[in-house]
């Protein structure tokens, strides 16, 4: 059963241009949604976790700037700007854990970005 | 902050042999450890998870035991198959509500006939 959809699945990004990514949650039992990046060396790095509609966060990392928004209970967005190196962005989801932070994270299929 | 160390970048084995992939971690909190497997051109998938000291956890022929005394969570399998060839990540869960996973650098396992 697919918990997450991501689109687009891949995108060529002209240098200096921003790109907008979407992640759609298919099961409301896993409302904690996060973004991770995987660089060309396959290193995985957490970017954001957004739980509630209206939550926004920004972050700058080597090679890209990010703006994440939790749009609705089922939609998470990520804007990637100033990207200088290709990467793959993964959306994840996990269950409401209450006081016990012991919940596996499920990965979406990913969006691969390549710099032109 | 939290950190995860995987000492082997690349492991190459012949089918049928045992394997152990090392994972050690550092955290000031009670640890939650995971192993993820990523096959070529796919997303990472959860393989094992644990937060219980000295209890073996198993899935799909792989097993690992969390040892808090040595801060380790090594991944093992008694007989590797060709289909086990993949990238394996050890990950440590943040103890806050962010749910942040800190990943090791990953170990590429290549199984030869």
């Amino acid at each position: 059963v697919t918990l997450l959809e991501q689109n687009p699945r891949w995108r060529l990004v002209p240098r200096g241009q921003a790109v907008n990514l979407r992640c759609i949650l298919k099961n409301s039992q896993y409302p904690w949604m996060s973004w991770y990046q995987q660089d060309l060396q396959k290193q995985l790095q957490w970017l954001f976790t957004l739980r509630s509609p209206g939550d926004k966060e920004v972050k700058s990392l080597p090679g890209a700037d990010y703006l994440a928004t939790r749009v609705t209970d089922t939609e998470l967005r990520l804007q990637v700007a100033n990207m200088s190196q290709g990467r793959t962005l993964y959306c994840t989801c996990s269950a409401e854990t209450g006081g016990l932070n012991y919940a596996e994270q499920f990965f979406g299929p990913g969006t691969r970005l390549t710099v032109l | 902050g939290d950190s995860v160390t995987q000492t082997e970048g690349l492991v190459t084995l012949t089918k049928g042999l045992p394997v152990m992939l090392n994972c050690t971690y550092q955290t000031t909190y009670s640890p939650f450890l995971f192993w993820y497997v990523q096959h070529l051109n796919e997303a990472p998938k959860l393989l094992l998870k644990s937060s219980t000291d000295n209890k073996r956890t198993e899935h799909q022929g792989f097993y690992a035991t969390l040892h808090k005394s040595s801060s380790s969570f090594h991944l093992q399998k008694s007989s590797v198959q060709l289909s086990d060839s993949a990238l394996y990540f050890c990950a440590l869960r943040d103890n806050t509500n962010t749910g942040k996973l800190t990943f090791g650098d990953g170990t590429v396992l290549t199984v030869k006939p």
Side-chain angles (χ1 to χ4, degrees):
Chain A
V1 178
T2 302
L3 289 176
L4 295 165
E5 289 182 359
Q6 290 187 241
N7 59 73
R9 293 295 311 280
W10 62 272
R11 178 62 59 88
L12 298 174
V13 184
R15 197 173 292 271
Q17 193 171 94
V19 60
N20 293 301
L21 311 183
R22 292 175 75 226
C23 176
I24 305 298
L25 179 66
K26 309 299 283 184
N27 187 327
S28 60
Q29 293 187 26
Y30 302 91
W32 288 86
M33 299 180 76
S34 302
W35 287 109
Y36 288 79
Q37 73 166 20
Q38 186 170 39
D39 62 26
L40 296 177
Q41 290 71 44
K42 300 298 183 183
Q43 304 293 302
L44 279 164
Q45 183 175 1
W46 172 81
L47 296 175
F48 309 100
T49 298
L50 299 178
R51 173 63 183 86
S52 302
D55 288 349
K56 284 189 178 183
E57 295 216 27
V58 296
K59 181 172 286 188
S60 290
L61 290 179
D65 297 327
Y66 297 103
L67 166 62
T69 306
R70 184 71 181 260
V71 181
T72 66
D73 286 330
T74 58
E75 184 175 349
L76 184 67
R77 291 183 187 171
L78 184 69
Q79 183 182 83
V80 185
N82 299 316
M83 191 174 69
S84 60
Q85 297 174 350
R87 61 203 62 215
T88 299
L89 283 305
Y90 289 105
C91 174
T92 73
C93 64
S94 60
E96 199 84 76
T97 59
L100 181 62
N101 290 309
Y102 179 54
E104 62 188 275
Q105 294 196 21
F106 299 91
F107 279 71
T111 296
R112 179 178 291 185
L113 301 180
T114 301
V115 178
L116 281 179
Chain B
D2 293 349
S3 66
V4 176
T5 301
Q6 294 181 246
T7 52
E8 308 96 357
L10 176 64
V11 173
T12 303
L13 288 171
T14 302
K15 173 186 172 183
L17 290 180
V19 66
M20 184 170 83
L21 305 183
N22 291 314
C23 173
T24 57
Y25 64 90
Q26 285 191 326
T27 181
T28 55
Y29 301 101
S30 185
F32 301 92
L33 272 296
F34 303 84
W35 276 101
Y36 281 82
V37 57
Q38 184 176 28
H39 288 94
L40 191 62
N41 295 323
E42 294 184 6
K45 293 180 183 177
L46 183 70
L47 184 57
L48 292 172
K49 60 185 178 183
S50 181
S51 64
T52 305
D53 199 12
N54 297 318
K55 182 179 178 182
R56 176 165 152 160
T57 181
E58 299 187 34
H59 185 60
Q60 295 182 340
F62 287 92
Y63 59 95
T65 302
L66 176 60
H67 292 296
K68 294 184 181 181
S69 61
S70 58
S71 299
S72 67
F73 189 57
H74 305 318
L75 181 67
Q76 297 181 262
K77 191 175 187 184
S78 58
S79 175
V80 293
Q81 304 302 310
L82 296 176
S83 58
D84 295 329
S85 293
L87 176 57
Y88 291 81
F89 290 100
C90 185
L92 173 66
R93 170 92 183 225
D94 186 88
N95 207 38
T96 69
N97 282 334
T98 66
K100 170 187 173 183
L101 286 174
T102 298
F103 287 87
D105 291 342
T107 299
V108 174
L109 174 63
T110 301
V111 181
K112 295 186 173 181

